[in-house]
Amino acid sequence: KTMGDFHAYYSGRKVAPILTIMIGGNHESSNYLQELYYGGWVAPNIWYMGAAGVINVCKNIGTGENFHKIATLRIAGLSGIYNSHHYSLGRFEMPPYNRGSLRSVY
């Protein structure tokens, strides 16, 4: 909700009230997000799409024999921020970072 509150969700102190799907940008904790390069749960109810990803969000109702899918929403995302110097280099940053790779890790 505000800048600098990611740690509260990551630690579990706060919980997102609804399913939240996120990509990485320039204000997220990139050191934590790099651990989930292909995506995954970063906190309860918060899904990180990874460096790039596509997911299907389905709304299901019923149980057992009465179970069926109502709707599916396909969401695609690309993490990162545009930088003309790094645009065509690819994503090869790995710890430990040097001064140049630390700035391009986003």
Side-chain angles (χ1 to χ4, degrees):
K1 288 189 173 188
T2 61
M3 284 255 282
D5 64 349
F6 177 78
H7 64 91
Y9 291 94
Y10 186 79
S11 69
R13 197 175 75 223
K14 287 185 174 182
V15 176
I18 60 171
L19 174 63
T20 304
I21 300 165
M22 64 176 273
I23 60 170
N26 62 331
H27 294 293
E28 288 70 36
S29 298
S30 57
N31 53 333
Y32 294 112
L33 299 182
Q34 279 196 324
E35 296 174 6
L36 295 168
Y37 185 81
Y38 297 104
W41 295 104
V42 294
N45 233 9
I46 301 177
W47 178 263
Y48 170 57
M49 294 188 66
V54 177
I55 61 170
N56 293 321
V57 179
C58 303
K59 182 173 183 180
N60 301 314
I61 63 167
T63 58
E65 293 179 17
N66 296 322
F67 175 81
H68 65 278
K69 187 174 7 177
I70 295 179
T72 300
L73 174 66
R74 181 169 284 183
I75 301 171
L78 296 171
S79 292
I81 58 174
Y82 176 75
N83 180 315
S84 61
H85 300 291
H86 300 138
Y87 182 74
S88 61
L89 295 179
R91 295 183 67 127
F92 305 107
E93 298 87 354
M94 299 293 289
Y97 304 116
N98 63 30
R99 193 170 187 89
S101 63
L102 184 62
R103 302 259 327 145
S104 69
V105 73
Y106 303 108

